[in-house]
Amino acid sequence: MGKNQSKKLKKSKEFIRCPRCNLKVASNMQNCGRCGLNFNKAKTATNKEAKLAFKLKEYQRVISVSTLPSDISKTKLIIACLFGGLFGAHYYYIGRIYRGLINLISTVGYFLLYYLQGNLSGYVYNSFLSIFACMFAVVFVFWTSDFIKICFNRFKVPVSLPYSK
């Protein structure tokens, strides 16, 4: 290993990024200098609490992290993405319901319109088919990138700290 490569490795270990505000912070710091997030408490954050915070519309409590919390199984996430990703199954699994609905509506709408192609015709039908085809293409690209991100631990999962008592 060359001298420059070892310097890069040293530099990458000296700093971490805050999961809330993305500030580059020294790795020996306990709290983020910008937003005040305690990194030790952030390790105990769960996706179950994030789902509860979404339900209660307390979005300020939720942060997205690329390290999977203890209540999310990477195997289940990969299976959900691989077999149901076009329908948004992996988004439902982590609690991002609206993003999953976009995938579901785009995929079902495209296949439904494509299936009805022989029975319907006209300008309006062709316009809807074009719109859903574009939406499905975007969903397909995001599905592929999500699968790659999950495999390489880059997929962002919402987590939240439990309420203090």
Side-chain angles (χ1 to χ4, degrees), residues 10-156:
K10 279 185 183 177
K11 285 184 180 180
S12 66
K13 292 182 180 180
E14 291 176 6
F15 294 100
I16 58 172
R17 292 224 177 251
C18 175
R20 181 184 288 159
C21 66
N22 207 25
L23 179 71
K24 202 174 192 180
V25 181
S27 61
N28 60 352
M29 296 289 287
Q30 297 293 320
N31 295 332
C32 176
R34 184 184 296 161
C35 67
L37 179 70
N38 185 325
F39 295 129
N40 292 329
K41 285 185 179 179
K43 290 177 184 175
T44 63
T46 64
N47 184 256
K48 183 179 178 182
E49 287 291 328
K51 290 176 185 176
L52 178 65
F54 281 143
K55 216 179 255 187
L56 298 173
K57 297 187 184 339
E58 296 176 349
Y59 305 112
Q60 71 278 3
R61 290 185 50 221
V62 179
I63 59 174
S64 293
V65 295
S66 56
T67 53
L68 292 179
S70 59
D71 58 343
I72 295 290
S73 166
K74 184 175 180 178
T75 306
K76 288 181 183 178
L77 191 59
I78 287 175
I79 290 171
C81 183
L82 186 62
F83 296 111
L86 289 175
F87 301 100
H90 58 297
Y91 290 123
Y92 292 118
Y93 179 59
I94 63 170
R96 291 188 170 173
I97 305 300
Y98 295 120
R99 189 121 183 232
L101 276 174
I102 290 170
N103 282 23
L104 181 67
I105 291 168
S106 300
T107 304
V108 170
Y110 172 71
F111 283 118
L112 185 66
L113 287 173
Y114 188 78
Y115 176 74
L116 295 174
Q117 188 172 6
N119 300 335
L120 301 172
S121 63
Y123 177 74
V124 173
Y125 171 76
N126 289 335
S127 299
F128 276 116
L129 183 60
S130 298
I131 290 168
F132 276 99
C134 290
M135 288 170 60
F136 178 72
V138 169
V139 165
F140 184 81
V141 168
F142 278 116
W143 169 59
T144 307
S145 76
D146 286 346
F147 183 74
I148 293 169
K149 285 178 185 177
I150 292 168
C151 290
F152 290 103
N153 298 325
R154 299 282 186 216
F155 188 69
K156 298 273 187 178

